[in-house]
Amino acid sequence: MASDGFTTCLWFDGQAEEAAHFYVSVFKNSSVGKIARYPEGAPQPAGGVMTVEFTANGHKFLGLNGGPQFKFTEAVSFMIFCENQEEIDYYWTKLTENGGEPGPCGWLKDQYGVSWQVVPDRLDDMITDPDPAKAARVTQAFMAMSKFDIAALEKAYAGE
């Protein structure tokens, strides 16, 4: 078994290096690593980026320029747990700029089609509260949101 965690491979159609640099610019604790290029006789143009290793927010990724065969879907998303509204606003803005798309309930797609959930740290505690009325109010409130509003969630939780 792997002893140092997982590496997530993201399949791109020619944008792997661009995407790696974008993610490194958005997240702290991030860097671009090794870049492998396609050799002569490969299914992609020789010299073009085949893979790019990068770390975003401490998570290891490999961007692969595999071609147009596969697209990202919402079936897989990355969750960003945020301490406050400022963090939510930051990630929401950065990840939806340049063609990204906001979605419901804290979900969005970035400019490459990768799905993200930008979520308050405290949301899980609220929706699993032993008081079913509190959990229901918070769930009802967030189901009506696109980008999460922590103050509105706290009000719903408190019954205000």
Side-chain angles (χ1 to χ4, degrees), residues 11-15 38 43-44 64-73:
W11 181 292
F12 294 94
D13 183 17
Q15 310 96 344
Y38 278 106
Q44 299 286 339
L64 167 67
N65 281 329
Q69 298 89 330
F70 300 110
K71 304 286 184 211
F72 297 112
T73 75

Side-chain angles (χ1 to χ4, degrees), residues 2-65:
S3 61
D4 62 348
F6 295 101
T7 297
T8 301
C9 181
L10 299 175
W11 181 292
F12 294 94
D13 183 17
Q15 310 96 344
E17 185 176 17
E18 174 187 315
H21 286 286
F22 171 71
Y23 296 130
V24 165
S25 77
V26 171
F27 295 99
K28 295 178 183 176
N29 192 21
S30 302
S31 62
V32 174
K34 297 177 184 175
I35 297 175
R37 300 196 175 275
Y38 278 106
E40 291 291 334
Q44 299 286 339
V49 172
M50 179 171 52
T51 62
V52 57
E53 296 175 1
F54 66 100
T55 301
N57 200 28
H59 183 90
K60 295 183 295 183
F61 290 90
L62 179 77
L64 167 67
N65 281 329

Side-chain angles (χ1 to χ4, degrees), residues 82-85 88 120-127 129 133-135 137-139 141-142 145 148-160:
C82 299
E83 195 173 307
N84 54 46
Q85 192 65 46
I88 287 174
D121 280 340
R122 197 161 131 58
L123 182 64
D124 188 55
D125 291 338
M126 292 177 172
I127 63 174
D129 191 284
K134 286 181 174 182
R137 287 191 307 265
V138 171
T139 301
F142 86 66
M145 295 178 183
F148 281 122
D149 178 337
I150 294 176
L153 293 172
E154 292 287 355
K155 284 183 180 181
Y157 186 70
E160 297 174 11

